[in-house]
Amino acid sequence: MAARLALAIAVALPLHPALAQLDAQGKSDLPGQQSVDPELDPFPFDGRLALRAYFKQRLPSMWWANEPEYNLGHYSVTVHVPDSWRGNPTSALLALCPHAYSNLWTGIRSFEVKAMYKNAPWPGVTCRP
């Protein structure tokens, strides 16, 4: 008898409207934060990861980049140029922008690359497809 009662409760609980609404809204206490259905998009686009991987492949030796930042819907990356390097860092950053056919543009519309050269910030470059 107890097993039948437990089975009836287990079947009826998901049908309760309040519980169904709670499950649809997600488990987060933040408004608008819903759980992602893994069947819809099992590998969502991560802009920071994509930029990190791109710059890891493209930066010359002895150059390094900070972790990409995302602020107000826009990504930015600071690239540190070694002190022994000669040239204009801002023009060198233009060569680091991806080509128009790059896979990076599938999830990012634009991003800014800023140079840090000889412990001083230099003007940045905005990369677009």
Side-chain angles (χ1 to χ4, degrees):
M1 181 75 173
R4 285 185 184 173
L5 182 60
L7 180 62
I9 291 174
V11 170
L13 276 180
L15 301 177
H16 192 272
L19 291 176
Q21 183 181 6
L22 178 66
D23 193 39
Q25 289 178 348
K27 309 290 190 279
S28 176
D29 59 345
L30 298 175
Q33 296 293 318
Q34 298 175 347
S35 60
V36 176
D37 186 2
E39 292 181 0
L40 297 178
D41 190 3
F43 302 106
F45 182 79
D46 185 0
R48 288 186 179 131
L49 179 63
L51 286 171
R52 189 180 321 127
Y54 175 77
F55 280 104
K56 185 177 180 180
Q57 293 174 348
R58 296 275 303 175
L59 285 178
S61 63
M62 304 298 293
W63 292 41
W64 61 279
N66 284 359
E67 182 70 19
E69 297 177 6
Y70 184 74
N71 192 10
L72 298 175
H74 191 71
Y75 289 97
S76 65
V77 179
T78 302
V79 174
H80 294 265
V81 181
D83 292 343
S84 60
W85 187 78
R86 301 284 181 227
N88 184 349
T90 304
S91 63
L93 294 180
L94 283 172
L96 293 176
C97 287
H99 297 287
Y101 54 84
S102 175
N103 288 336
L104 190 63
W105 300 122
T106 58
I108 299 176
R109 291 181 292 183
S110 66
F111 64 93
E112 184 180 16
V113 184
K114 299 178 265 184
M116 184 67 74
Y117 180 53
K118 295 190 177 183
N119 294 328
W122 282 66
V125 173
T126 301
C127 298
R128 294 183 176 93

